[in-house]
Amino acid sequence: MHQTFDAALGINLLHANQEGADHNRAHFDEWGIICLNVMSSPGAGKTALLERTLAVLTHEYKIAVIEGDMTTELDAERLRKYGVPVIAINTGRSCHLDSKMVAGGIHQLSYQYNPAEFDLVLVENVGNLVCPAEFEVGEHAKVALLSLTEGEDKPLKYPVMFQEADCLLITKMDLAPHLDVDVDRIVANVRQMNPHVAIVPVSAKTGEGLDAWFDWVRSWIARSAPAKQQLSVVH
Amino acid sequence: MTKALIITVKDWWESQPVPPKISCIHLIVGKFTCVEPVSLQFAFNVQKQNTFLEGVELAIQETPLIAFCHHCQQEYRPEIGIQYDCPTCRSPMEDIRSGRELKIDRIEYCSDSAKTYAPNL
Ligand SMILES: Nc1nc2c(ncn2[C@@H]2O[C@H](COP(=O)(O)OP(=O)(O)O)[C@@H](O)[C@H]2O)c(=O)[nH]1
Ligand SMILES: [Mg+2]
Ligand SMILES: [Zn+2]
């Protein structure tokens, strides 16, 4: 006869990922880099937003992209046109990036470049409204995209990402005249669970709202400026 | 999340002096997480095959979403998918008291070691 035992554990399932994320963030902090984790359902416009962002902000900052949402190698090429390193992560069948995958990307960046020269790392997460919200990758802030075509009730149905977001971009605003969608309702629904999130309606097609988004990114990069100064003194 | 679950159990299992034969994993999953218990159960049953978790049962206990309204000084239960702000005063949901849990509560195992199960993860 064998005896049965019971081990009381209370171990958080996300503990290992969290440790990895903290490790990644420590690297970013050491190099004076701000990392933004860009998340949305497939097709909400992450890559289009990154293209627009690189077109303007590469004139002000040194930027790298960690690309976790590649349908084809073409996606990375679209972004490399702006002269930035684009590190493609093979996510396999995973429905989200995790901190280990991004650690691989960071180490690749630090082999090929002097990471302390960079100001901003943009991570394009796997297109999925659910899982990426739970798996931190070492970002300083989370950016969620919701396209107008997805409907007002998405934030209520998939609340975790919207509750965790630091910035919500309502994308494809150029389509508003063609759709029966109430932007104020989207905003109200998100505010129910996240009163402090910055909400910026944008269109990658017309450029509407992008200046406000750039300002939001600039304000984050400004936070790492003191650390950056420190670095250049040491060098 | 299935991968996170299996890795977490494996870490614990390997840290034991003699890796035991696990019979049941008791999981606590909050209603305000990305985890859908039925899907997790299904994925676990597929992925445990031919690993040290072969034959192991997964028992999932869900915890409700409970928020605390500081304005009203009381707890309330937001209706997931419908409404999250305070039903009394409409203050946003800011203080979640329950529903974000994702943890292994306990593991049942028996004394004879699981030597026959190769950890081929
Ligand atoms: N009308 C319109 N279409 C857009 C906009 N942004 C992206 N799209 C289109 O939406 C589709 C998906 O965009 P993409 O950036 O690849 O989305 P991702 O999967 O989130 O990276 C593409 O066909 C884009 O041309 C926008 O602001 N307005
Ligand atoms: Mg994309
Ligand atoms: Zn209240």
mmCIF file of all heavy atoms in Angstrom, chain A residues 53-99:
data_model
loop_
_atom_site.group_PDB
_atom_site.id
_atom_site.type_symbol
_atom_site.label_atom_id
_atom_site.label_comp_id
_atom_site.label_asym_id
_atom_site.label_seq_id
_atom_site.Cartn_x
_atom_site.Cartn_y
_atom_site.Cartn_z
ATOM 1 N N THR A 53 5.259 55.179 -36.834
ATOM 2 C CA THR A 53 6.029 55.647 -35.677
ATOM 3 C C THR A 53 7.508 55.745 -36.033
ATOM 4 O O THR A 53 8.169 56.735 -35.716
ATOM 5 C CB THR A 53 5.807 54.676 -34.495
ATOM 6 O OG1 THR A 53 4.399 54.559 -34.268
ATOM 7 C CG2 THR A 53 6.487 55.174 -33.231
ATOM 8 N N LEU A 54 8.007 54.724 -36.724
ATOM 9 C CA LEU A 54 9.415 54.726 -37.109
ATOM 10 C C LEU A 54 9.706 55.859 -38.085
ATOM 11 O O LEU A 54 10.757 56.506 -38.008
ATOM 12 C CB LEU A 54 9.806 53.372 -37.730
ATOM 13 C CG LEU A 54 9.743 52.171 -36.782
ATOM 14 C CD1 LEU A 54 9.981 50.874 -37.555
ATOM 15 C CD2 LEU A 54 10.743 52.305 -35.644
ATOM 16 N N ALA A 55 8.753 56.115 -38.988
ATOM 17 C CA ALA A 55 8.960 57.155 -39.996
ATOM 18 C C ALA A 55 9.268 58.499 -39.340
ATOM 19 O O ALA A 55 10.035 59.295 -39.862
ATOM 20 C CB ALA A 55 7.721 57.268 -40.888
ATOM 21 N N VAL A 56 8.684 58.742 -38.169
ATOM 22 C CA VAL A 56 8.885 60.035 -37.496
ATOM 23 C C VAL A 56 9.931 59.947 -36.381
ATOM 24 O O VAL A 56 10.857 60.745 -36.309
ATOM 25 C CB VAL A 56 7.535 60.548 -36.931
ATOM 26 C CG1 VAL A 56 7.758 61.772 -36.043
ATOM 27 C CG2 VAL A 56 6.587 60.882 -38.075
ATOM 28 N N LEU A 57 9.795 58.953 -35.522
ATOM 29 C CA LEU A 57 10.627 58.965 -34.315
ATOM 30 C C LEU A 57 12.072 58.515 -34.536
ATOM 31 O O LEU A 57 12.925 58.758 -33.688
ATOM 32 C CB LEU A 57 9.960 58.152 -33.192
ATOM 33 C CG LEU A 57 8.657 58.754 -32.649
ATOM 34 C CD1 LEU A 57 8.145 57.952 -31.458
ATOM 35 C CD2 LEU A 57 8.819 60.224 -32.246
ATOM 36 N N THR A 58 12.364 57.880 -35.682
ATOM 37 C CA THR A 58 13.769 57.521 -35.932
ATOM 38 C C THR A 58 14.624 58.783 -36.135
ATOM 39 O O THR A 58 15.844 58.712 -36.045
ATOM 40 C CB THR A 58 13.942 56.607 -37.175
ATOM 41 O OG1 THR A 58 13.181 57.151 -38.233
ATOM 42 C CG2 THR A 58 13.503 55.196 -36.886
ATOM 43 N N HIS A 59 13.982 59.916 -36.423
ATOM 44 C CA HIS A 59 14.740 61.170 -36.552
ATOM 45 C C HIS A 59 15.125 61.732 -35.185
ATOM 46 O O HIS A 59 15.958 62.611 -35.084
ATOM 47 C CB HIS A 59 13.922 62.207 -37.332
ATOM 48 C CG HIS A 59 13.602 61.763 -38.728
ATOM 49 N ND1 HIS A 59 14.578 61.579 -39.680
ATOM 50 C CD2 HIS A 59 12.431 61.415 -39.308
ATOM 51 C CE1 HIS A 59 14.010 61.157 -40.804
ATOM 52 N NE2 HIS A 59 12.710 61.043 -40.603
ATOM 53 N N GLU A 60 14.457 61.217 -34.133
ATOM 54 C CA GLU A 60 14.716 61.755 -32.793
ATOM 55 C C GLU A 60 15.436 60.764 -31.883
ATOM 56 O O GLU A 60 16.153 61.164 -30.972
ATOM 57 C CB GLU A 60 13.380 62.134 -32.128
ATOM 58 C CG GLU A 60 12.602 63.195 -32.886
ATOM 59 C CD GLU A 60 11.198 63.358 -32.349
ATOM 60 O OE1 GLU A 60 10.993 63.291 -31.115
ATOM 61 O OE2 GLU A 60 10.271 63.536 -33.177
ATOM 62 N N TYR A 61 15.206 59.481 -32.116
ATOM 63 C CA TYR A 61 15.711 58.460 -31.193
ATOM 64 C C TYR A 61 16.305 57.291 -31.951
ATOM 65 O O TYR A 61 15.972 57.063 -33.115
ATOM 66 C CB TYR A 61 14.566 57.910 -30.321
ATOM 67 C CG TYR A 61 13.782 58.950 -29.590
ATOM 68 C CD1 TYR A 61 12.460 59.218 -29.943
ATOM 69 C CD2 TYR A 61 14.356 59.657 -28.528
ATOM 70 C CE1 TYR A 61 11.724 60.169 -29.256
ATOM 71 C CE2 TYR A 61 13.624 60.611 -27.845
ATOM 72 C CZ TYR A 61 12.309 60.868 -28.208
ATOM 73 O OH TYR A 61 11.585 61.816 -27.535
ATOM 74 N N LYS A 62 17.126 56.526 -31.225
ATOM 75 C CA LYS A 62 17.610 55.269 -31.783
ATOM 76 C C LYS A 62 16.658 54.164 -31.318
ATOM 77 O O LYS A 62 16.463 53.959 -30.104
ATOM 78 C CB LYS A 62 19.039 54.998 -31.337
ATOM 79 C CG LYS A 62 19.707 53.956 -32.220
ATOM 80 C CD LYS A 62 21.218 54.162 -32.311
ATOM 81 C CE LYS A 62 21.942 52.936 -32.811
ATOM 82 N NZ LYS A 62 21.592 52.504 -34.152
ATOM 83 N N ILE A 63 16.070 53.477 -32.279
ATOM 84 C CA ILE A 63 14.974 52.553 -31.994
ATOM 85 C C ILE A 63 15.295 51.156 -32.520
ATOM 86 O O ILE A 63 15.942 51.013 -33.562
ATOM 87 C CB ILE A 63 13.658 53.054 -32.657
ATOM 88 C CG1 ILE A 63 13.350 54.487 -32.199
ATOM 89 C CG2 ILE A 63 12.485 52.119 -32.325
ATOM 90 C CD1 ILE A 63 12.156 55.122 -32.898
ATOM 91 N N ALA A 64 14.860 50.131 -31.787
ATOM 92 C CA ALA A 64 14.908 48.761 -32.284
ATOM 93 C C ALA A 64 13.521 48.148 -32.125
ATOM 94 O O ALA A 64 12.746 48.564 -31.256
ATOM 95 C CB ALA A 64 15.935 47.938 -31.505
ATOM 96 N N VAL A 65 13.233 47.176 -32.973
ATOM 97 C CA VAL A 65 11.937 46.501 -32.911
ATOM 98 C C VAL A 65 12.157 45.023 -32.625
ATOM 99 O O VAL A 65 13.032 44.397 -33.220
ATOM 100 C CB VAL A 65 11.154 46.663 -34.243
ATOM 101 C CG1 VAL A 65 9.874 45.832 -34.226
ATOM 102 C CG2 VAL A 65 10.847 48.128 -34.522
ATOM 103 N N ILE A 66 11.376 44.494 -31.709
ATOM 104 C CA ILE A 66 11.334 43.045 -31.506
ATOM 105 C C ILE A 66 9.984 42.579 -32.041
ATOM 106 O O ILE A 66 8.929 42.998 -31.564
ATOM 107 C CB ILE A 66 11.529 42.675 -30.017
ATOM 108 C CG1 ILE A 66 12.961 43.049 -29.587
ATOM 109 C CG2 ILE A 66 11.254 41.177 -29.801
ATOM 110 C CD1 ILE A 66 13.289 42.723 -28.143
ATOM 111 N N GLU A 67 10.041 41.771 -33.088
ATOM 112 C CA GLU A 67 8.847 41.429 -33.859
ATOM 113 C C GLU A 67 8.385 40.012 -33.519
ATOM 114 O O GLU A 67 9.067 39.045 -33.841
ATOM 115 C CB GLU A 67 9.197 41.574 -35.346
ATOM 116 C CG GLU A 67 8.086 41.296 -36.320
ATOM 117 C CD GLU A 67 6.831 42.093 -36.040
ATOM 118 O OE1 GLU A 67 6.803 43.307 -36.301
ATOM 119 O OE2 GLU A 67 5.875 41.469 -35.527
ATOM 120 N N GLY A 68 7.247 39.907 -32.859
ATOM 121 C CA GLY A 68 6.742 38.598 -32.454
ATOM 122 C C GLY A 68 5.496 38.194 -33.207
ATOM 123 O O GLY A 68 4.837 37.218 -32.884
ATOM 124 N N ASP A 69 5.131 38.970 -34.217
ATOM 125 C CA ASP A 69 3.855 38.737 -34.901
ATOM 126 C C ASP A 69 4.053 38.650 -36.397
ATOM 127 O O ASP A 69 3.370 39.304 -37.167
ATOM 128 C CB ASP A 69 2.882 39.878 -34.578
ATOM 129 C CG ASP A 69 1.466 39.566 -35.035
ATOM 130 O OD1 ASP A 69 1.049 38.405 -34.926
ATOM 131 O OD2 ASP A 69 0.775 40.479 -35.524
ATOM 132 N N MET A 70 5.015 37.819 -36.785
ATOM 133 C CA MET A 70 5.303 37.762 -38.194
ATOM 134 C C MET A 70 4.436 36.760 -38.906
ATOM 135 O O MET A 70 4.402 35.593 -38.559
ATOM 136 C CB MET A 70 6.752 37.341 -38.383
ATOM 137 C CG MET A 70 7.688 38.433 -37.930
ATOM 138 S SD MET A 70 8.952 38.589 -39.115
ATOM 139 C CE MET A 70 9.468 36.901 -39.154
ATOM 140 N N THR A 71 3.740 37.228 -39.901
ATOM 141 C CA THR A 71 3.010 36.289 -40.736
ATOM 142 C C THR A 71 3.993 35.794 -41.786
ATOM 143 O O THR A 71 4.082 34.612 -42.044
ATOM 144 C CB THR A 71 1.767 36.969 -41.369
ATOM 145 O OG1 THR A 71 1.800 38.364 -41.061
ATOM 146 C CG2 THR A 71 0.520 36.392 -40.781
ATOM 147 N N THR A 72 4.730 36.719 -42.342
ATOM 148 C CA THR A 72 5.806 36.347 -43.270
ATOM 149 C C THR A 72 7.007 37.226 -42.953
ATOM 150 O O THR A 72 6.902 38.180 -42.197
ATOM 151 C CB THR A 72 5.414 36.595 -44.747
ATOM 152 O OG1 THR A 72 5.302 38.011 -44.938
ATOM 153 C CG2 THR A 72 4.108 35.927 -45.099
ATOM 154 N N GLU A 73 8.143 36.918 -43.581
ATOM 155 C CA GLU A 73 9.353 37.727 -43.404
ATOM 156 C C GLU A 73 9.111 39.155 -43.935
ATOM 157 O O GLU A 73 9.799 40.085 -43.569
ATOM 158 C CB GLU A 73 10.527 37.029 -44.100
ATOM 159 C CG GLU A 73 11.901 37.681 -43.963
ATOM 160 C CD GLU A 73 12.410 37.794 -42.513
ATOM 161 O OE1 GLU A 73 12.031 36.941 -41.675
ATOM 162 O OE2 GLU A 73 13.168 38.731 -42.240
ATOM 163 N N LEU A 74 8.058 39.318 -44.732
ATOM 164 C CA LEU A 74 7.724 40.630 -45.292
ATOM 165 C C LEU A 74 7.443 41.669 -44.205
ATOM 166 O O LEU A 74 7.794 42.838 -44.349
ATOM 167 C CB LEU A 74 6.480 40.510 -46.196
ATOM 168 C CG LEU A 74 6.714 39.932 -47.585
ATOM 169 C CD1 LEU A 74 5.389 39.834 -48.340
ATOM 170 C CD2 LEU A 74 7.700 40.798 -48.366
ATOM 171 N N ASP A 75 6.805 41.236 -43.111
ATOM 172 C CA ASP A 75 6.486 42.153 -42.014
ATOM 173 C C ASP A 75 7.750 42.823 -41.489
ATOM 174 O O ASP A 75 7.782 44.027 -41.276
ATOM 175 C CB ASP A 75 5.803 41.411 -40.861
ATOM 176 C CG ASP A 75 4.318 41.207 -41.133
ATOM 177 O OD1 ASP A 75 3.793 41.878 -42.053
ATOM 178 O OD2 ASP A 75 3.708 40.389 -40.435
ATOM 179 N N ALA A 76 8.814 42.018 -41.294
ATOM 180 C CA ALA A 76 10.068 42.565 -40.794
ATOM 181 C C ALA A 76 10.685 43.497 -41.827
ATOM 182 O O ALA A 76 11.207 44.562 -41.484
ATOM 183 C CB ALA A 76 11.029 41.433 -40.442
ATOM 184 N N GLU A 77 10.566 43.115 -43.100
ATOM 185 C CA GLU A 77 11.116 43.962 -44.172
ATOM 186 C C GLU A 77 10.440 45.326 -44.205
ATOM 187 O O GLU A 77 11.080 46.348 -44.422
ATOM 188 C CB GLU A 77 10.982 43.267 -45.533
ATOM 189 C CG GLU A 77 11.936 42.094 -45.733
ATOM 190 C CD GLU A 77 13.372 42.406 -45.314
ATOM 191 O OE1 GLU A 77 13.868 43.491 -45.656
ATOM 192 O OE2 GLU A 77 13.981 41.562 -44.617
ATOM 193 N N ARG A 78 9.107 45.330 -43.980
ATOM 194 C CA ARG A 78 8.345 46.587 -43.958
ATOM 195 C C ARG A 78 8.959 47.549 -42.953
ATOM 196 O O ARG A 78 8.999 48.746 -43.160
ATOM 197 C CB ARG A 78 6.895 46.311 -43.539
ATOM 198 C CG ARG A 78 5.950 46.005 -44.687
ATOM 199 C CD ARG A 78 4.676 45.358 -44.190
ATOM 200 N NE ARG A 78 3.769 46.304 -43.509
ATOM 201 C CZ ARG A 78 2.650 45.938 -42.896
ATOM 202 N NH1 ARG A 78 2.288 44.680 -42.856
ATOM 203 N NH2 ARG A 78 1.882 46.837 -42.308
ATOM 204 N N LEU A 79 9.434 46.996 -41.833
ATOM 205 C CA LEU A 79 9.952 47.842 -40.762
ATOM 206 C C LEU A 79 11.434 48.171 -40.965
ATOM 207 O O LEU A 79 11.892 49.252 -40.612
ATOM 208 C CB LEU A 79 9.730 47.161 -39.414
ATOM 209 C CG LEU A 79 8.250 46.890 -39.085
ATOM 210 C CD1 LEU A 79 8.125 46.038 -37.833
ATOM 211 C CD2 LEU A 79 7.478 48.191 -38.901
ATOM 212 N N ARG A 80 12.181 47.231 -41.563
ATOM 213 C CA ARG A 80 13.619 47.463 -41.779
ATOM 214 C C ARG A 80 13.863 48.617 -42.747
ATOM 215 O O ARG A 80 14.924 49.229 -42.741
ATOM 216 C CB ARG A 80 14.301 46.187 -42.306
ATOM 217 C CG ARG A 80 14.481 45.158 -41.225
ATOM 218 C CD ARG A 80 15.445 44.022 -41.594
ATOM 219 N NE ARG A 80 15.455 43.050 -40.524
ATOM 220 C CZ ARG A 80 14.900 41.830 -40.597
ATOM 221 N NH1 ARG A 80 14.341 41.424 -41.723
ATOM 222 N NH2 ARG A 80 14.927 41.025 -39.541
ATOM 223 N N LYS A 81 12.862 48.894 -43.575
ATOM 224 C CA LYS A 81 12.970 50.022 -44.512
ATOM 225 C C LYS A 81 13.316 51.325 -43.790
ATOM 226 O O LYS A 81 13.858 52.241 -44.380
ATOM 227 C CB LYS A 81 11.632 50.218 -45.240
ATOM 228 C CG LYS A 81 11.406 49.249 -46.361
ATOM 229 C CD LYS A 81 10.480 49.835 -47.435
ATOM 230 C CE LYS A 81 9.138 50.266 -46.887
ATOM 231 N NZ LYS A 81 7.997 49.514 -47.382
ATOM 232 N N TYR A 82 12.957 51.389 -42.500
ATOM 233 C CA TYR A 82 13.203 52.621 -41.743
ATOM 234 C C TYR A 82 14.588 52.616 -41.096
ATOM 235 O O TYR A 82 14.890 53.474 -40.264
ATOM 236 C CB TYR A 82 12.094 52.834 -40.709
ATOM 237 C CG TYR A 82 10.760 53.003 -41.387
ATOM 238 C CD1 TYR A 82 9.936 51.901 -41.619
ATOM 239 C CD2 TYR A 82 10.355 54.241 -41.860
ATOM 240 C CE1 TYR A 82 8.734 52.024 -42.302
ATOM 241 C CE2 TYR A 82 9.155 54.389 -42.541
ATOM 242 C CZ TYR A 82 8.350 53.273 -42.760
ATOM 243 O OH TYR A 82 7.183 53.414 -43.451
ATOM 244 N N GLY A 83 15.400 51.618 -41.469
ATOM 245 C CA GLY A 83 16.782 51.604 -41.013
ATOM 246 C C GLY A 83 16.969 51.223 -39.557
ATOM 247 O O GLY A 83 17.965 51.589 -38.943
ATOM 248 N N VAL A 84 16.022 50.486 -39.012
ATOM 249 C CA VAL A 84 16.170 50.057 -37.615
ATOM 250 C C VAL A 84 16.404 48.550 -37.557
ATOM 251 O O VAL A 84 15.965 47.821 -38.452
ATOM 252 C CB VAL A 84 14.908 50.396 -36.769
ATOM 253 C CG1 VAL A 84 14.640 51.888 -36.774
ATOM 254 C CG2 VAL A 84 13.695 49.625 -37.267
ATOM 255 N N PRO A 85 17.106 48.063 -36.518
ATOM 256 C CA PRO A 85 17.207 46.618 -36.349
ATOM 257 C C PRO A 85 15.832 46.044 -36.006
ATOM 258 O O PRO A 85 15.141 46.579 -35.141
ATOM 259 C CB PRO A 85 18.155 46.439 -35.153
ATOM 260 C CG PRO A 85 18.682 47.785 -34.816
ATOM 261 C CD PRO A 85 17.814 48.801 -35.457
ATOM 262 N N VAL A 86 15.456 45.000 -36.731
ATOM 263 C CA VAL A 86 14.190 44.316 -36.432
ATOM 264 C C VAL A 86 14.544 42.880 -36.078
ATOM 265 O O VAL A 86 15.033 42.126 -36.929
ATOM 266 C CB VAL A 86 13.228 44.344 -37.633
ATOM 267 C CG1 VAL A 86 11.958 43.558 -37.327
ATOM 268 C CG2 VAL A 86 12.891 45.789 -38.003
ATOM 269 N N ILE A 87 14.354 42.523 -34.824
ATOM 270 C CA ILE A 87 14.705 41.182 -34.381
ATOM 271 C C ILE A 87 13.438 40.332 -34.386
ATOM 272 O O ILE A 87 12.495 40.599 -33.640
ATOM 273 C CB ILE A 87 15.359 41.232 -32.994
ATOM 274 C CG1 ILE A 87 16.713 41.922 -33.137
ATOM 275 C CG2 ILE A 87 15.528 39.831 -32.417
ATOM 276 C CD1 ILE A 87 17.219 42.509 -31.880
ATOM 277 N N ALA A 88 13.434 39.347 -35.272
ATOM 278 C CA ALA A 88 12.252 38.502 -35.411
ATOM 279 C C ALA A 88 12.331 37.348 -34.416
ATOM 280 O O ALA A 88 13.352 36.674 -34.320
ATOM 281 C CB ALA A 88 12.174 37.979 -36.828
ATOM 282 N N ILE A 89 11.260 37.159 -33.667
ATOM 283 C CA ILE A 89 11.207 36.073 -32.695
ATOM 284 C C ILE A 89 10.358 34.957 -33.268
ATOM 285 O O ILE A 89 9.237 35.193 -33.728
ATOM 286 C CB ILE A 89 10.544 36.539 -31.374
ATOM 287 C CG1 ILE A 89 11.208 37.801 -30.831
ATOM 288 C CG2 ILE A 89 10.514 35.402 -30.355
ATOM 289 C CD1 ILE A 89 12.472 37.580 -30.085
ATOM 290 N N ASN A 90 10.900 33.756 -33.199
ATOM 291 C CA ASN A 90 10.107 32.606 -33.632
ATOM 292 C C ASN A 90 9.258 32.152 -32.446
ATOM 293 O O ASN A 90 9.760 31.581 -31.493
ATOM 294 C CB ASN A 90 11.047 31.491 -34.099
ATOM 295 C CG ASN A 90 10.284 30.310 -34.634
ATOM 296 O OD1 ASN A 90 9.032 30.308 -34.614
ATOM 297 N ND2 ASN A 90 10.997 29.313 -35.098
ATOM 298 N N THR A 91 7.968 32.432 -32.516
ATOM 299 C CA THR A 91 7.092 32.122 -31.380
ATOM 300 C C THR A 91 6.514 30.718 -31.483
ATOM 301 O O THR A 91 5.773 30.294 -30.598
ATOM 302 C CB THR A 91 5.928 33.131 -31.296
ATOM 303 O OG1 THR A 91 5.306 33.198 -32.574
ATOM 304 C CG2 THR A 91 6.422 34.499 -30.902
ATOM 305 N N GLY A 92 6.841 30.022 -32.556
ATOM 306 C CA GLY A 92 6.280 28.680 -32.730
ATOM 307 C C GLY A 92 4.765 28.762 -32.791
ATOM 308 O O GLY A 92 4.215 29.624 -33.473
ATOM 309 N N ARG A 93 4.117 27.922 -32.009
ATOM 310 C CA ARG A 93 2.650 27.979 -32.004
ATOM 311 C C ARG A 93 2.124 28.754 -30.810
ATOM 312 O O ARG A 93 0.941 28.753 -30.523
ATOM 313 C CB ARG A 93 2.077 26.556 -32.003
ATOM 314 C CG ARG A 93 1.961 25.968 -33.408
ATOM 315 C CD ARG A 93 1.554 24.512 -33.325
ATOM 316 N NE ARG A 93 2.479 23.755 -32.485
ATOM 317 C CZ ARG A 93 2.234 22.553 -31.988
ATOM 318 N NH1 ARG A 93 1.092 21.960 -32.238
ATOM 319 N NH2 ARG A 93 3.121 21.935 -31.240
ATOM 320 N N SER A 94 3.053 29.422 -30.113
ATOM 321 C CA SER A 94 2.635 30.123 -28.902
ATOM 322 C C SER A 94 1.729 31.301 -29.253
ATOM 323 O O SER A 94 1.924 31.979 -30.256
ATOM 324 C CB SER A 94 3.867 30.615 -28.145
ATOM 325 O OG SER A 94 3.467 31.252 -26.965
ATOM 326 N N CYS A 95 0.725 31.542 -28.419
ATOM 327 C CA CYS A 95 -0.237 32.609 -28.697
ATOM 328 C C CYS A 95 0.169 33.916 -28.029
ATOM 329 O O CYS A 95 -0.611 34.847 -27.949
ATOM 330 C CB CYS A 95 -1.627 32.180 -28.237
ATOM 331 S SG CYS A 95 -1.664 31.667 -26.528
ATOM 332 N N HIS A 96 1.392 33.976 -27.520
ATOM 333 C CA HIS A 96 1.872 35.207 -26.884
ATOM 334 C C HIS A 96 3.385 35.156 -26.822
ATOM 335 O O HIS A 96 3.974 34.077 -26.886
ATOM 336 C CB HIS A 96 1.308 35.323 -25.463
ATOM 337 C CG HIS A 96 1.652 34.139 -24.611
ATOM 338 N ND1 HIS A 96 2.854 34.031 -23.951
ATOM 339 C CD2 HIS A 96 0.989 32.991 -24.367
ATOM 340 C CE1 HIS A 96 2.898 32.872 -23.318
ATOM 341 N NE2 HIS A 96 1.776 32.210 -23.560
ATOM 342 N N LEU A 97 4.012 36.312 -26.675
ATOM 343 C CA LEU A 97 5.448 36.332 -26.394
ATOM 344 C C LEU A 97 5.619 36.095 -24.905
ATOM 345 O O LEU A 97 4.773 36.491 -24.109
ATOM 346 C CB LEU A 97 6.036 37.704 -26.740
ATOM 347 C CG LEU A 97 6.290 38.023 -28.212
ATOM 348 C CD1 LEU A 97 6.711 39.483 -28.349
ATOM 349 C CD2 LEU A 97 7.357 37.114 -28.783
ATOM 350 N N ASP A 98 6.714 35.450 -24.507
ATOM 351 C CA ASP A 98 7.002 35.392 -23.077
ATOM 352 C C ASP A 98 8.377 36.012 -22.825
ATOM 353 O O ASP A 98 9.092 36.367 -23.774
ATOM 354 C CB ASP A 98 6.866 33.965 -22.514
ATOM 355 C CG ASP A 98 7.869 32.991 -23.102
ATOM 356 O OD1 ASP A 98 8.981 33.414 -23.450
ATOM 357 O OD2 ASP A 98 7.538 31.791 -23.201
ATOM 358 N N SER A 99 8.723 36.142 -21.569
ATOM 359 C CA SER A 99 9.934 36.899 -21.250
ATOM 360 C C SER A 99 11.201 36.189 -21.725
ATOM 361 O O SER A 99 12.189 36.834 -22.050
ATOM 362 C CB SER A 99 10.004 37.178 -19.746
ATOM 363 O OG SER A 99 9.976 35.979 -19.013
#
